[in-house]
Amino acid sequence: MPSNYTEVFQDPDAVEKYAERTYAPGTFSSIVSSRQTSWLRGFVPSAFALPPVHHDFACGTGRVARMLAGLVEVSHGYDTSEAMLVKGRELGTPGVAHLVGPGGAVPEIAPGRPALVTAFRFVLNVDDELRGQLLEFAAAALPDADAGMLLIENHGNASSLRRMRRTFGRLDADTWFQELSHDHMLSLLERHGFELVGVQGFTLFTQGCYRRPVSWLAKGVDAVFASSLSKWATDVVYIARRR
């Protein structure tokens, strides 16, 4: 992981590339995002009796808030990159965007409303200190087991086909390659007073498998089996609540 990862998206050009190319229609990321959207839009109404207040840690352009549009009372997005928040407004992200300093995110608590805390495409790319900041933020928003839910995406599950990239891939794979194990995630959650209540997988295959000539097979298998084989999915979301 580059030491300057958190600074990369201060650059508007990097943000534009991320928003317009990484999530361009038909790309691996956009397909996974579409699956996440379908799952979230089923999960949230079933998990909450009232539309929750949504807190999106490291919200970026607000992709998760757009997924949840109409299902939450309000979305609050927190990010250190003004360029990301500006792009989010251009993309029509609903809710309130908060530009925060490093370690300065504080959830906007709404008494009497359940909370949903999300952190997508964050924990894989940062160190344990920043992961700890996320869990501290989530603990502030979710003081007890009845307060709501926490959803954390790990888009580099160590117990997946992604491990083969390190073993058989390019020699420079360590430049950006990161992986995070289930045990590490469980340890992080337990350390901050959370318990895991579920795991949801979205793709068993890696980005390279979504290119021809094997893309049709990867997409078909993922559509059928990624959810039931969540433990071995490359991209997973952990569902947790306070103990």
Side-chain angles (χ1 to χ4, degrees), residues 60 69 93 100 121 138 156 160 174 189 192:
T93 300
V100 298
R121 293 188 74 94
S160 70
D174 283 340
L189 290 168
H192 292 272

Side-chain angles (χ1 to χ4, degrees), residues 22-178:
T22 301
Y23 285 95
T27 61
F28 175 76
S29 293
S30 70
I31 293 170
V32 172
S33 184
S34 178
R35 290 181 188 145
Q36 291 173 341
T37 301
S38 295
W39 176 75
L40 280 170
R41 296 193 69 81
F43 172 80
V44 171
S46 65
F48 293 91
L50 294 173
V53 173
H54 174 220
H55 303 281
D56 194 15
F57 189 90
C59 64
T61 65
R63 183 171 58 93
V64 180
R66 295 194 297 276
M67 291 179 183
L68 294 170
L71 298 180
V72 298
E73 178 72 9
V74 63
S75 282
H76 291 277
Y78 310 80
D79 206 280
T80 60
S81 169
E82 184 175 9
M84 278 286 204
L85 299 181
V86 169
K87 185 62 181 178
R89 287 192 289 271
E90 291 177 3
L91 293 172
T93 300
V96 183
H98 303 267
L99 179 64
V100 298
V106 177
E108 296 271 341
I109 304 299
R113 279 280 172 179
L116 170 64
V117 178
T118 59
F120 281 39
R121 293 188 74 94
F122 177 75
V123 294
L124 182 68
N125 302 316
V126 298
D127 58 25
D128 269 355
E129 180 180 355
L130 292 177
R131 292 167 185 154
Q133 290 180 12
L134 158 64
L135 271 299
E136 290 170 4
F137 172 91
L142 302 168
D144 56 56
D146 295 325
M149 306 291 289
L150 168 63
L151 305 180
I152 301 179
E153 179 190 22
N154 172 11
H155 62 292
N157 176 24
S159 303
S160 70
L161 288 176
R162 200 169 182 271
R163 171 58 67 92
M164 296 178 66
R165 177 182 168 189
R166 180 181 288 274
T167 307
F168 302 107
R170 301 190 311 262
L171 295 178
D172 66 346
D174 283 340
T175 303
W176 276 87
F177 186 91
Q178 288 286 298

